[in-house]
């Protein structure tokens, strides 16, 4: 049955009443309550089924209720939930060793959220700038980021994010960040001073609207970091863990020239997909960048056993199923299908991190006729009413970030609903 035909259950009305009374609202939410997940689908308290191309916001890489992840969590929960960050625990050590072995980085520190991992990376860079000062011996403190970049919602990570809407928020900001336009190599070179200690960006801007860093930009950043002993920091909270069609998106870039070899970050932050839905994040660094001293960094839940068990199950499952290959194949097919609809343009992204714009002239004609203000949000809401979850992180565009188990059949099912939603909103 189409979700729009399902009646609201009194229990759902009761739950929404609780939300109205008790939740500190930080953003609009639709009038529904999610209850259960299974593979590519979510179910709400009215029994409506949703095809999930939001994937828990690029988090549930294995889909919902994945048996291996569920089993790992159940077993670890019964054995040891928390032993404090003062001690090592078994899953922490085994997982850390496996995780590091699958990256080009040497050591890892664990956190719970992407913002926490990025805060750690910012602190690590500042420490590096104190250990390797600029001319005259003063610590280097400045970090270059990109306009439209997104690194989290703590004060420092908001200060690092190049989101125009945040410029006036929560002043005073944490100083020490300078943003350049993504892929503007001249601006990047220009922004480097004797005070600069790191360059931080997402290989593909996710919240900014799915825009990839160009090979030229990444090469220039790597060369500047080599030349000036700065740290190249990749925020792969969204692109990591097979989402971009490689285990990590840094694998998409190579040095110039024949046999140039891969471009490797000095520092890498991971979140979202790393825990498959369990709160987990990681800060990884090359040996030379591991400059924290005792007391510099910590966190009550760093290396928490349940999170470690989740991380291990997710890594094992991704490797076992070679999910980056599925992300690549399904992502390619998804982009082809989106490209074939004349109402969508600038279809972009890699793997199963895909964005598309609503065609400007069609959207303008619709807006003129109906007075609609945010057509992309209308498409998102209409798709949801027909049983499909997608989102629109920027005006005029749609983003598709399903679990990495999405098949071509799921893409076809998604396109059928999206087509219906585009028909309703744009015609
Ligand atoms: C989501 C995201 C973050 C923030 O992660 P949280 O877990 O919400 O703190 C940071 N960087 C990027 C690229 C993200 O997509």
């Amino acid at each position: 049955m189409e979700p729009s035909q399902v009646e609201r259950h009194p229990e759902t009305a009761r739950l929404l009443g609780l939300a109205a009374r008790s939740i500190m609202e930080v953003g609009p939410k639709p009038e529904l309550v999610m209850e259960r997940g299974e593979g590519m689908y979510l179910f709400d308290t009215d029994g409506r089924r949703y095809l999930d191309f939001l994937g828990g916001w690029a988090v549930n890489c294995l889909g919902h209720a994945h048996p291996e992840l569920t089993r790992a969590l159940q077993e670890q929960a019964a054995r040891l939930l928390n032993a404090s960050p003062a001690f090592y625990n078994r899953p922490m050590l085994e997982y850390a060793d496996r995780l590091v072995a699958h990256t080009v980085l040497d050591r890892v520190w664990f956190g719970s959220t992407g913002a926490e991992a990025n805060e750690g990376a910012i602190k690590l860079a500042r420490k590096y700038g104190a250990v390797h000062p600029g001319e005259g011996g003063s610590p280097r403190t400045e970090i270059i980021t990109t306009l439209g970049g997104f690194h989290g919602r703590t004060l420092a990570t908001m200060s690092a994010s190049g989101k125009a809407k945040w410029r006036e928020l929560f002043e005073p900001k944490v100083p020490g960040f300078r943003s350049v336009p993504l892929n503007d190599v001249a601006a990047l070179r220009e922004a480097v001073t004797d005070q600069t200690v790191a360059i931080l960006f997402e290989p593909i801007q996710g919240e900014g609207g799915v825009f990839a860093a160009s090979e030229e930009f990444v090469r220039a950043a790597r060369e500047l970091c080599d030349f000036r002993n700065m740290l190249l920091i990749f925020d792969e909270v969204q692109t990591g863990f097979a989402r971009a069609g490689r285990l990590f998106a840094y694998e998409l870039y190579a040095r110039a020239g024949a046999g140039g070899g891969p471009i490797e970050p000095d520092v890498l932050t991971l979140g979202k997909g790393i825990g498959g839905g369990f709160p987990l994040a990681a800060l990884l660094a090359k040996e030379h960048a591991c400059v924290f001293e005792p007391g510099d960094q910590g966190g009550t839940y760093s290396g928490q056993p349940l999170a470690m068990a989740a991380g291990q199950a997710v890594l094992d499952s991704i490797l076992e199923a070679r999910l980056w290959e599925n992300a690549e194949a399904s992502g390619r097919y998804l982009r082809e299908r989106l490209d074939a609809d004349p109402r969508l343009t600038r279809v972009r992204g890699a793997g199963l991190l895909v964005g598309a714009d609503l065609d400007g002239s069609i959207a303008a004609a619709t807006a003129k006729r109906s007075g609609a203000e945010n057509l992309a949000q209308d498409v998102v809401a209409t798709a949801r009413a027909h049983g499909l979850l997608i989102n629109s992180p920027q005006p005029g565009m749609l983003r598709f970030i399903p679990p990495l188990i999405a098949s071509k059949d799921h893409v076809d099912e998604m396109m059928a609903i999206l087509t219906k939603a585009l028909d309703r909103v744009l015609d």
Side-chain angles (χ1 to χ4, degrees), residues 113-116 118 150-153 202 207 235 237-238 272:
T113 68
E116 191 186 12
N118 283 331
F150 178 79
H151 302 293
R153 290 177 176 279
E202 307 155 80
E207 301 311 306
D235 177 350
V237 170
Q238 189 155 153
K272 294 200 166 95

Side-chain angles (χ1 to χ4, degrees), residues 153-313:
R153 290 177 176 279
T154 60
L155 261 183
T157 54
M158 282 183 86
S159 305
S161 295
K163 229 174 129 159
K165 262 200 272 179
W166 286 0
R167 212 152 287 151
E168 309 300 323
L169 264 182
F170 311 130
E171 292 291 308
K173 288 283 189 317
V174 176
F177 299 99
R178 184 188 288 227
S179 305
V180 301
L182 181 68
N183 296 337
D184 188 335
V185 172
L188 176 65
R189 292 215 168 95
E190 188 96 341
V192 174
T193 72
D194 180 50
Q195 283 301 297
T196 313
V197 70
I199 303 173
L200 160 67
F201 60 89
E202 307 155 80
I204 303 171
Q205 289 185 343
E207 301 311 306
V210 189
F211 293 107
S214 67
E215 189 134 69
E216 194 197 358
F217 186 80
V218 176
R219 279 177 188 161
R222 180 67 272 173
E223 280 161 18
L224 283 166
C225 287
D226 289 342
F227 190 65
R228 292 189 167 253
N229 191 19
M230 305 187 300
L231 298 179
L232 181 61
I233 308 174
F234 273 27
D235 177 350
E236 291 221 37
V237 170
Q238 189 155 153
T239 56
F241 280 89
R243 172 136 320 260
R246 304 281 189 282
L247 191 51
F248 300 103
Y250 64 73
E251 297 169 41
L252 293 166
Y253 301 93
R255 287 175 187 268
I263 291 181
E264 300 183 354
D266 302 303
V267 177
L268 175 70
T269 57
L270 300 168
K272 294 200 166 95
I274 190 177
F278 197 90
L280 173 61
L283 161 65
L284 295 97
K286 296 254 193 194
E287 195 68 56
H288 77 276
C290 291
V291 290
F292 280 147
E293 292 173 289
D296 286 350
Q297 177 68 342
T300 301
Y301 296 121
S302 178
Q304 195 260 6
L306 202 54
M308 298 296 97
Q312 203 158 8

Side-chain angles (χ1 to χ4, degrees), residues 26-43:
V26 295
K29 288 187 179 57
E31 298 260 298
L32 58 87
V33 180
M34 290 302 182
E35 180 151 67
R36 183 169 73 79
E38 204 184 296
M40 285 292 297
Y41 299 93
L42 276 174
F43 298 83

